[in-house]
């Protein structure tokens, strides 16, 4: 895939992972411990798949995409 598409896919993947983190906060406030643990285990699996199966190959093929994504997160707290 070309770098523009790689950046787009990486942005979607990182944004999805960030939404899971936000959901965890709400769940922690409103779920029983066992239910929260189940959600956290599922989220961890999804996060690992995003990082290992989507982001790692994109970042390996397009290092500039990784830099752009990480800079946006560090500077603005979001993917730009």
């Amino acid at each position: 895939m070309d770098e523009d598409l790689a950046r787009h896919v990486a942005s979607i993947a990182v944004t999805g992972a960030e939404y899971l983190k936000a959901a965890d906060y709400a769940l922690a406030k409103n779920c029983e411990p066992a239910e929260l643990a189940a959600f956290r285990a599922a989220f961890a699996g999804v996060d690992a798949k995003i990082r290992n199966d989507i982001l790692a190959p994109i970042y390996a093929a397009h290092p500039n995409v990784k830099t752009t994504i990480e800079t946006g997160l560090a500077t603005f707290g979001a993917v730009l």
Side-chain angles (χ1 to χ4, degrees):
M1 89 178 65
D2 69 20
E3 189 166 309
D4 289 335
L5 180 56
R7 186 176 301 106
H8 179 67
V9 172
S11 295
I12 291 168
V14 170
T15 300
E18 292 297 315
Y19 277 124
L20 292 176
K21 289 177 189 173
D24 181 78
Y25 177 80
L27 291 167
K29 299 284 186 190
N30 297 289
C31 290
E32 296 297 323
E35 188 178 26
L36 178 60
F39 278 114
R40 284 184 170 166
F43 288 173
V46 172
D47 189 62
K49 293 294 275 181
I50 288 171
R51 294 189 188 289
N52 297 331
D53 297 350
I54 298 172
L55 294 176
I58 288 174
Y59 291 167
H62 303 283
N64 290 335
V65 171
K66 180 177 182 180
T67 302
T68 300
I69 297 286
E70 289 179 348
T71 299
L73 288 170
T75 305
F76 303 106
V79 176
L80 302 177

